[in-house]
Amino acid sequence: MSDSLKFGTSGLRGLASELTGGAARRYTAAFLSHVGTVPEGRVYLGRDLRASSPAIVADCAAAIRAAGLEPVDCGVLPTPALALHAMAKGGPAIMVTGSHIPADRNGLKFYVAAGEITKADEAGIAAALVEAVPEGEGRAADESALAGDRYRQRYRGVLDAGALGGWRVGVFEHSSVARDMLVSFLTRAGADVVRLARSDAFVAVDTEAFSDALFEPRFGWIDAHKLDAVVSTDGDGDRPLVIDGNGEFVRGDVVGMLAARFLGADRVVTPVTSNSAIEGVGWFGRVDRTRVGSPFVIAGMEAAAVGSPGAVVGFEANGGLLLGTDVAINGRVLGALPTRDAVLPILAVLATAAKLGETLAGLVKTLPVRAALADRLAQVPGARSAAFLADLAETEGYAARFFAPVGEIQSLSSIDGLRFALTSGDTVHYRASGNAPELRCYVEGVTPARATELLAWGLAAAGAVVR
C-alpha cells in the first residue's frame, strides 16, 4: 500500500501521485471484490475538478472493465448527486475527490447500491487488496447529463418560486462542483444571485477553517454587492458554507440544526463535535451523538430509524446533511439519502430566515447556541498528533498542567479525540484529522470573546508540542 493512502472520516485519501495508476486500480478492484455480485453489471463514476481526477477516473474505469463490468461516467458533479443516481440505478459507485484537502491530494469515496459504505466495508476493501491489477481500457459510457438532472429535479420543488424574493445572495464559486447547480436553485427560488471568484484551477476550501485567507474577500463582496448572504460548498459539494450579511460565518452545526428543524426532524444524529446547544433547543425528540465521520452518523441513523415513526436526520459539524428516512417538505417527499449533502441545508437555512423576515445574523441570535469556533494545525504528522493526545489522556498530571493557563478540567469525553470540559463552562476538543496530516481544535466558550481566546490558545499551545 502507498504510504499516504488511508481511509479517514469519509473515504480513502492520500497524495494524488500515489493514488494515480496502480493504486486506484487496486482499490477499485478490491471494492468490487468486496461488493460481490453487481446485478446490472454497471459501476458509476464521478469526479471533482482537481487536475488529477480525470486520470484517476480512467484508472478506476480500467479496473472495472478488467473485472468484467461496465464503467459509467457521470462526469463532474456533487458527491451526493453521484450517490443519488447510483442508488436509483441500483449499482455501486466511486467518487474521485479529495473533498476539501489540498490540491496535491485526492481520494476515492465508495458507494454500494444502498448508499455510502460502512467502516466494516472499509476493512473488507483493505482485506481484498491484491498486488496488481491489469491496466486495461479506461473508456466509459456517459450518463453525466442524466445524473446531474436527477439531482436537479430532487431539489427543484423544495422551495417555492418566490421563497427568496428580495434576497441578494453571493455564490462563492471557486472550484466547487456544485456551483452552477447552486446558482440555479437560488435563482429559481427568487434570489438575486451574484457569482463570485470562479476558478479554473482547483481551490481547497475547508468550510470549517474560518481563518483561511481565501475567505478575506467576503467583506468586500458583501459591501460592493449589498449581499444578504454568501454561500458555497467544499470541492465535491457535500459540505456547506454560509456567511451572513455582516461577513460572519454561520457554523456548520448551526446550519445543520436549522436544516433539521426545517425538515421536521423528530430524531437527530450528529457527532460529538457539534454544538452542545442542540439538545437544549427543544426542537427534536432525541439527539444521538457519534464519532466524527459520515459512516458513524449513518450507522447512528440506521439505529435511530428502527422503530422510530418520525423523520431521522443526521448532520455533521461541518453542516453536511444526511437523510436517514424519507421526509415530507413543501408538499412533496424527499427520499432518504444517507450521504452528506450541501445544497439542501443551504436552501433550508436561507428559506427559514426569509420566511421569518429575519437576516441570517438575526436568525442565529435567536438561538441558544454556545459561542464555538474550530480550526486546525496543518502539516502535523499523524504520529505527532497521536503522541500528544496520548499524553493528554494517559500521562499523569500532563493534562492539568497543559490546561492550567486557561482553567481547571471538570470532565473528559473520548468519543472521538479528547474533549475537555472546564469548570468555567468552556470546552476544548482536540482530534487528529482522518483525511490529512492535521490536528483539529474545536472550542466552545461562555462568550464569543472567550471562544476566540480559547481557540488562539488551543492552537498555539498544541502547536508548541506537535511542531
Short mmCIF file of all heavy atoms in Angstrom, two decimals, residues 341-397:
data_model
loop_
_atom_site.label_atom_id
_atom_site.label_comp_id
_atom_site.label_asym_id
_atom_site.label_seq_id
_atom_site.Cartn_x
_atom_site.Cartn_y
_atom_site.Cartn_z
N ASP A 341 -24.82 16.10 2.15
CA ASP A 341 -25.26 16.97 1.07
C ASP A 341 -25.13 18.42 1.53
O ASP A 341 -25.41 18.73 2.70
CB ASP A 341 -26.72 16.66 0.72
CG ASP A 341 -27.17 17.32 -0.57
OD1 ASP A 341 -26.35 17.99 -1.22
OD2 ASP A 341 -28.35 17.16 -0.92
N ALA A 342 -24.70 19.31 0.64
CA ALA A 342 -24.53 20.73 0.99
C ALA A 342 -25.67 21.60 0.48
O ALA A 342 -25.98 22.62 1.09
CB ALA A 342 -23.21 21.25 0.43
N VAL A 343 -26.30 21.22 -0.62
CA VAL A 343 -27.32 22.08 -1.22
C VAL A 343 -28.55 22.20 -0.33
O VAL A 343 -29.04 23.32 -0.09
CB VAL A 343 -27.71 21.55 -2.61
CG1 VAL A 343 -29.00 22.20 -3.11
CG2 VAL A 343 -26.59 21.80 -3.61
N LEU A 344 -29.07 21.08 0.17
CA LEU A 344 -30.29 21.12 0.97
C LEU A 344 -30.16 21.99 2.21
O LEU A 344 -31.04 22.82 2.48
CB LEU A 344 -30.72 19.69 1.34
CG LEU A 344 -32.03 19.57 2.12
CD1 LEU A 344 -33.18 20.24 1.40
CD2 LEU A 344 -32.35 18.10 2.40
N PRO A 345 -29.11 21.87 3.02
CA PRO A 345 -29.01 22.75 4.19
C PRO A 345 -28.88 24.23 3.84
O PRO A 345 -29.41 25.08 4.57
CB PRO A 345 -27.78 22.23 4.94
CG PRO A 345 -27.01 21.43 3.95
CD PRO A 345 -28.03 20.86 3.01
N ILE A 346 -28.21 24.56 2.73
CA ILE A 346 -28.11 25.96 2.33
C ILE A 346 -29.49 26.51 2.01
O ILE A 346 -29.89 27.58 2.48
CB ILE A 346 -27.17 26.11 1.11
CG1 ILE A 346 -25.71 25.88 1.54
CG2 ILE A 346 -27.31 27.50 0.48
CD1 ILE A 346 -24.73 25.82 0.38
N LEU A 347 -30.26 25.77 1.20
CA LEU A 347 -31.61 26.21 0.85
C LEU A 347 -32.48 26.33 2.10
O LEU A 347 -33.25 27.28 2.25
CB LEU A 347 -32.24 25.24 -0.14
CG LEU A 347 -31.57 25.09 -1.51
CD1 LEU A 347 -32.30 24.08 -2.36
CD2 LEU A 347 -31.49 26.43 -2.22
N ALA A 348 -32.36 25.36 3.01
CA ALA A 348 -33.20 25.34 4.21
C ALA A 348 -32.94 26.54 5.10
O ALA A 348 -33.88 27.17 5.61
CB ALA A 348 -32.96 24.04 4.98
N VAL A 349 -31.67 26.89 5.31
CA VAL A 349 -31.34 28.00 6.21
C VAL A 349 -31.78 29.33 5.63
O VAL A 349 -32.37 30.17 6.31
CB VAL A 349 -29.83 27.99 6.52
CG1 VAL A 349 -29.44 29.26 7.26
CG2 VAL A 349 -29.48 26.78 7.37
N LEU A 350 -31.51 29.56 4.34
CA LEU A 350 -31.92 30.81 3.71
C LEU A 350 -33.45 30.93 3.71
O LEU A 350 -34.00 32.01 3.99
CB LEU A 350 -31.39 30.89 2.29
CG LEU A 350 -29.87 30.95 2.12
CD1 LEU A 350 -29.51 31.07 0.64
CD2 LEU A 350 -29.27 32.11 2.90
N ALA A 351 -34.15 29.84 3.42
CA ALA A 351 -35.61 29.87 3.39
C ALA A 351 -36.20 30.13 4.78
O ALA A 351 -37.21 30.83 4.92
CB ALA A 351 -36.16 28.56 2.83
N THR A 352 -35.58 29.57 5.81
CA THR A 352 -36.05 29.79 7.18
C THR A 352 -35.95 31.26 7.56
O THR A 352 -36.89 31.85 8.10
CB THR A 352 -35.24 28.94 8.17
OG1 THR A 352 -35.44 27.55 7.86
CG2 THR A 352 -35.68 29.20 9.60
N ALA A 353 -34.80 31.87 7.27
CA ALA A 353 -34.61 33.29 7.58
C ALA A 353 -35.60 34.15 6.80
O ALA A 353 -36.22 35.07 7.34
CB ALA A 353 -33.18 33.71 7.28
N ALA A 354 -35.76 33.86 5.50
CA ALA A 354 -36.67 34.64 4.68
C ALA A 354 -38.11 34.53 5.16
O ALA A 354 -38.85 35.53 5.22
CB ALA A 354 -36.56 34.18 3.22
N LYS A 355 -38.53 33.33 5.51
CA LYS A 355 -39.92 33.12 5.97
C LYS A 355 -40.19 33.87 7.26
O LYS A 355 -41.30 34.40 7.48
CB LYS A 355 -40.17 31.63 6.16
CG LYS A 355 -41.60 31.30 6.56
CD LYS A 355 -41.81 29.80 6.62
CE LYS A 355 -43.27 29.48 6.99
NZ LYS A 355 -43.49 28.01 7.05
N LEU A 356 -39.20 33.94 8.16
CA LEU A 356 -39.37 34.62 9.44
C LEU A 356 -39.12 36.13 9.33
O LEU A 356 -39.29 36.85 10.32
CB LEU A 356 -38.41 34.02 10.48
CG LEU A 356 -38.66 32.56 10.86
CD1 LEU A 356 -37.56 32.06 11.78
CD2 LEU A 356 -40.03 32.41 11.53
N GLY A 357 -38.72 36.59 8.15
CA GLY A 357 -38.42 38.00 7.98
C GLY A 357 -37.18 38.44 8.73
O GLY A 357 -37.05 39.61 9.12
N GLU A 358 -36.24 37.51 8.94
CA GLU A 358 -35.01 37.78 9.69
C GLU A 358 -33.81 37.83 8.74
O GLU A 358 -33.81 37.20 7.68
CB GLU A 358 -34.75 36.67 10.71
CG GLU A 358 -35.68 36.65 11.90
CD GLU A 358 -35.21 37.59 13.00
OE1 GLU A 358 -34.28 38.38 12.76
OE2 GLU A 358 -35.77 37.52 14.10
N THR A 359 -32.80 38.57 9.13
CA THR A 359 -31.50 38.42 8.49
C THR A 359 -30.89 37.12 9.02
O THR A 359 -31.35 36.57 10.03
CB THR A 359 -30.56 39.58 8.84
OG1 THR A 359 -30.32 39.57 10.26
CG2 THR A 359 -31.17 40.91 8.43
N LEU A 360 -29.86 36.64 8.35
CA LEU A 360 -29.19 35.44 8.86
C LEU A 360 -28.61 35.70 10.25
O LEU A 360 -28.73 34.86 11.15
CB LEU A 360 -28.09 34.99 7.91
CG LEU A 360 -28.50 34.21 6.68
CD1 LEU A 360 -27.28 33.87 5.84
CD2 LEU A 360 -29.25 32.95 7.06
N ALA A 361 -27.99 36.87 10.42
CA ALA A 361 -27.42 37.19 11.73
C ALA A 361 -28.50 37.25 12.79
O ALA A 361 -28.33 36.75 13.91
CB ALA A 361 -26.67 38.52 11.66
N GLY A 362 -29.65 37.84 12.44
CA GLY A 362 -30.75 37.91 13.39
C GLY A 362 -31.31 36.55 13.73
O GLY A 362 -31.66 36.28 14.90
N LEU A 363 -31.39 35.66 12.74
CA LEU A 363 -31.88 34.31 12.98
C LEU A 363 -30.97 33.57 13.95
O LEU A 363 -31.44 32.94 14.91
CB LEU A 363 -31.96 33.54 11.65
CG LEU A 363 -32.35 32.07 11.73
CD1 LEU A 363 -33.73 31.90 12.34
CD2 LEU A 363 -32.28 31.43 10.34
N VAL A 364 -29.66 33.64 13.74
CA VAL A 364 -28.72 32.94 14.61
C VAL A 364 -28.79 33.48 16.04
O VAL A 364 -28.68 32.73 17.01
CB VAL A 364 -27.29 33.04 14.05
CG1 VAL A 364 -26.27 32.46 15.04
CG2 VAL A 364 -27.19 32.31 12.71
N LYS A 365 -29.00 34.79 16.18
CA LYS A 365 -29.07 35.39 17.51
C LYS A 365 -30.28 34.90 18.32
O LYS A 365 -30.27 34.97 19.55
CB LYS A 365 -29.11 36.91 17.40
CG LYS A 365 -27.77 37.54 17.08
CD LYS A 365 -27.88 39.05 17.01
CE LYS A 365 -26.53 39.68 16.66
NZ LYS A 365 -26.63 41.16 16.53
N THR A 366 -31.30 34.40 17.65
CA THR A 366 -32.47 33.88 18.37
C THR A 366 -32.22 32.50 18.96
O THR A 366 -33.04 32.00 19.74
CB THR A 366 -33.70 33.79 17.43
OG1 THR A 366 -33.48 32.78 16.44
CG2 THR A 366 -33.99 35.13 16.77
N LEU A 367 -31.09 31.89 18.61
CA LEU A 367 -30.82 30.52 19.04
C LEU A 367 -29.94 30.50 20.29
O LEU A 367 -29.02 31.31 20.42
CB LEU A 367 -30.11 29.75 17.92
CG LEU A 367 -30.79 29.75 16.56
CD1 LEU A 367 -29.92 29.02 15.54
CD2 LEU A 367 -32.17 29.13 16.62
N PRO A 368 -30.20 29.56 21.19
CA PRO A 368 -29.36 29.44 22.40
C PRO A 368 -28.08 28.67 22.13
O PRO A 368 -27.75 27.69 22.80
CB PRO A 368 -30.27 28.68 23.36
CG PRO A 368 -31.06 27.78 22.46
CD PRO A 368 -31.30 28.58 21.20
N VAL A 369 -27.33 29.13 21.12
CA VAL A 369 -26.14 28.41 20.67
C VAL A 369 -24.90 28.94 21.38
O VAL A 369 -24.70 30.14 21.48
CB VAL A 369 -25.97 28.55 19.15
CG1 VAL A 369 -24.67 27.91 18.68
CG2 VAL A 369 -27.15 27.92 18.43
N ARG A 370 -24.10 28.03 21.90
CA ARG A 370 -22.84 28.40 22.53
C ARG A 370 -21.89 28.97 21.49
O ARG A 370 -21.85 28.52 20.35
CB ARG A 370 -22.19 27.19 23.19
CG ARG A 370 -23.00 26.55 24.30
CD ARG A 370 -22.94 27.39 25.57
NE ARG A 370 -21.57 27.57 26.01
CZ ARG A 370 -20.87 26.67 26.70
NH1 ARG A 370 -21.42 25.51 27.02
NH2 ARG A 370 -19.63 26.93 27.08
N ALA A 371 -21.10 29.97 21.89
CA ALA A 371 -20.07 30.51 21.01
C ALA A 371 -19.04 29.42 20.74
O ALA A 371 -18.43 28.88 21.67
CB ALA A 371 -19.40 31.71 21.66
N ALA A 372 -18.86 29.07 19.48
CA ALA A 372 -18.00 27.95 19.13
C ALA A 372 -17.17 28.27 17.90
O ALA A 372 -17.64 28.94 16.98
CB ALA A 372 -18.83 26.70 18.87
N LEU A 373 -15.93 27.82 17.91
CA LEU A 373 -15.01 28.03 16.80
C LEU A 373 -14.18 26.76 16.58
O LEU A 373 -14.06 25.92 17.48
CB LEU A 373 -14.06 29.20 17.10
CG LEU A 373 -14.69 30.58 17.27
CD1 LEU A 373 -13.65 31.57 17.79
CD2 LEU A 373 -15.28 31.08 15.95
N ALA A 374 -13.64 26.64 15.38
CA ALA A 374 -12.78 25.49 15.08
C ALA A 374 -11.73 25.89 14.07
O ALA A 374 -11.95 26.77 13.23
CB ALA A 374 -13.61 24.33 14.54
N ASP A 375 -10.57 25.27 14.14
CA ASP A 375 -9.50 25.48 13.17
C ASP A 375 -8.56 24.29 13.27
O ASP A 375 -8.81 23.36 14.05
CB ASP A 375 -8.77 26.80 13.41
CG ASP A 375 -8.15 27.37 12.14
OD1 ASP A 375 -7.92 26.60 11.20
OD2 ASP A 375 -7.89 28.58 12.10
N ARG A 376 -7.48 24.31 12.49
CA ARG A 376 -6.57 23.17 12.55
C ARG A 376 -5.14 23.62 12.37
O ARG A 376 -4.85 24.67 11.81
CB ARG A 376 -6.94 22.12 11.52
CG ARG A 376 -6.41 22.31 10.10
CD ARG A 376 -7.14 23.32 9.32
NE ARG A 376 -6.90 23.20 7.89
CZ ARG A 376 -6.78 24.24 7.09
NH1 ARG A 376 -6.85 25.46 7.54
NH2 ARG A 376 -6.59 24.06 5.79
N LEU A 377 -4.24 22.77 12.84
CA LEU A 377 -2.81 22.92 12.60
C LEU A 377 -2.47 22.02 11.42
O LEU A 377 -2.64 20.79 11.49
CB LEU A 377 -2.00 22.50 13.83
CG LEU A 377 -2.17 23.38 15.08
CD1 LEU A 377 -1.51 22.71 16.28
CD2 LEU A 377 -1.58 24.76 14.85
N ALA A 378 -2.04 22.62 10.32
CA ALA A 378 -1.73 21.84 9.12
C ALA A 378 -0.34 21.24 9.21
O ALA A 378 0.50 21.67 10.00
CB ALA A 378 -1.86 22.73 7.89
N GLN A 379 -0.10 20.23 8.37
CA GLN A 379 1.20 19.57 8.25
C GLN A 379 1.71 19.05 9.59
O GLN A 379 2.88 19.22 9.95
CB GLN A 379 2.21 20.53 7.62
CG GLN A 379 1.81 21.04 6.25
CD GLN A 379 1.50 19.92 5.26
OE1 GLN A 379 2.20 18.91 5.20
NE2 GLN A 379 0.43 20.08 4.49
N VAL A 380 0.82 18.40 10.33
CA VAL A 380 1.20 17.74 11.58
C VAL A 380 1.12 16.23 11.33
O VAL A 380 0.03 15.69 11.13
CB VAL A 380 0.27 18.14 12.74
CG1 VAL A 380 0.68 17.38 14.01
CG2 VAL A 380 0.32 19.64 12.98
N PRO A 381 2.23 15.53 11.31
CA PRO A 381 2.19 14.07 11.08
C PRO A 381 1.30 13.37 12.09
O PRO A 381 1.21 13.77 13.26
CB PRO A 381 3.66 13.65 11.26
CG PRO A 381 4.44 14.90 10.98
CD PRO A 381 3.61 16.03 11.50
N GLY A 382 0.64 12.32 11.63
CA GLY A 382 -0.27 11.59 12.50
C GLY A 382 0.39 11.08 13.77
O GLY A 382 -0.23 11.06 14.83
N ALA A 383 1.66 10.68 13.68
CA ALA A 383 2.35 10.16 14.86
C ALA A 383 2.51 11.23 15.94
O ALA A 383 2.40 10.93 17.14
CB ALA A 383 3.73 9.62 14.46
N ARG A 384 2.72 12.47 15.52
CA ARG A 384 2.87 13.56 16.50
C ARG A 384 1.53 13.87 17.17
O ARG A 384 1.46 14.10 18.37
CB ARG A 384 3.43 14.81 15.81
CG ARG A 384 4.90 14.68 15.43
CD ARG A 384 5.43 16.01 14.90
NE ARG A 384 6.84 15.94 14.56
CZ ARG A 384 7.82 16.14 15.41
NH1 ARG A 384 7.56 16.42 16.67
NH2 ARG A 384 9.08 16.05 15.02
N SER A 385 0.46 13.88 16.36
CA SER A 385 -0.87 14.09 16.95
C SER A 385 -1.20 12.98 17.94
O SER A 385 -1.71 13.23 19.04
CB SER A 385 -1.93 14.14 15.85
OG SER A 385 -1.81 15.30 15.07
N ALA A 386 -0.90 11.74 17.56
CA ALA A 386 -1.22 10.60 18.42
C ALA A 386 -0.45 10.68 19.73
O ALA A 386 -1.01 10.40 20.81
CB ALA A 386 -0.89 9.30 17.70
N ALA A 387 0.82 11.06 19.67
CA ALA A 387 1.62 11.15 20.90
C ALA A 387 1.10 12.25 21.82
O ALA A 387 1.02 12.08 23.04
CB ALA A 387 3.09 11.42 20.54
N PHE A 388 0.71 13.37 21.23
CA PHE A 388 0.16 14.49 22.01
C PHE A 388 -1.13 14.07 22.71
O PHE A 388 -1.32 14.30 23.92
CB PHE A 388 -0.07 15.67 21.08
CG PHE A 388 -0.85 16.80 21.67
CD1 PHE A 388 -0.38 17.50 22.79
CD2 PHE A 388 -2.05 17.20 21.11
CE1 PHE A 388 -1.11 18.55 23.34
CE2 PHE A 388 -2.77 18.26 21.64
CZ PHE A 388 -2.31 18.92 22.76
N LEU A 389 -2.03 13.44 21.97
CA LEU A 389 -3.30 13.01 22.55
C LEU A 389 -3.10 11.94 23.61
O LEU A 389 -3.79 11.91 24.63
CB LEU A 389 -4.23 12.50 21.45
CG LEU A 389 -4.68 13.56 20.42
CD1 LEU A 389 -5.50 12.91 19.32
CD2 LEU A 389 -5.49 14.66 21.09
N ALA A 390 -2.14 11.06 23.39
CA ALA A 390 -1.85 10.02 24.38
C ALA A 390 -1.35 10.63 25.68
O ALA A 390 -1.73 10.20 26.78
CB ALA A 390 -0.83 9.03 23.82
N ASP A 391 -0.49 11.62 25.57
CA ASP A 391 0.00 12.30 26.79
C ASP A 391 -1.14 12.97 27.54
O ASP A 391 -1.23 12.88 28.78
CB ASP A 391 1.06 13.34 26.42
CG ASP A 391 2.45 12.74 26.23
OD1 ASP A 391 2.68 11.63 26.75
OD2 ASP A 391 3.29 13.37 25.57
N LEU A 392 -2.03 13.64 26.81
CA LEU A 392 -3.16 14.31 27.46
C LEU A 392 -4.06 13.30 28.18
O LEU A 392 -4.59 13.58 29.26
CB LEU A 392 -3.99 15.07 26.43
CG LEU A 392 -3.43 16.41 25.92
CD1 LEU A 392 -4.32 16.95 24.81
CD2 LEU A 392 -3.33 17.43 27.06
N ALA A 393 -4.24 12.14 27.57
CA ALA A 393 -5.17 11.15 28.14
C ALA A 393 -4.54 10.28 29.21
O ALA A 393 -5.22 9.86 30.16
CB ALA A 393 -5.72 10.27 27.02
N GLU A 394 -3.22 10.00 29.10
CA GLU A 394 -2.64 8.94 29.92
C GLU A 394 -1.53 9.37 30.87
O GLU A 394 -1.33 8.73 31.91
CB GLU A 394 -2.10 7.84 28.98
CG GLU A 394 -3.17 7.23 28.08
CD GLU A 394 -2.56 6.38 26.97
OE1 GLU A 394 -1.33 6.13 27.03
OE2 GLU A 394 -3.31 6.00 26.04
N THR A 395 -0.79 10.41 30.53
CA THR A 395 0.33 10.81 31.38
C THR A 395 -0.17 11.58 32.60
O THR A 395 -0.82 12.62 32.45
CB THR A 395 1.33 11.67 30.60
OG1 THR A 395 1.80 10.92 29.46
CG2 THR A 395 2.51 12.06 31.47
N GLU A 396 0.13 11.06 33.76
CA GLU A 396 -0.40 11.65 34.99
C GLU A 396 0.01 13.12 35.13
O GLU A 396 1.19 13.48 35.04
CB GLU A 396 0.11 10.86 36.20
CG GLU A 396 -0.50 11.34 37.51
CD GLU A 396 -0.07 10.48 38.69
OE1 GLU A 396 0.64 9.48 38.47
OE2 GLU A 396 -0.45 10.82 39.83
N GLY A 397 -0.97 13.95 35.34
CA GLY A 397 -0.74 15.37 35.58
C GLY A 397 -0.49 16.20 34.34
O GLY A 397 -0.48 17.44 34.41
#
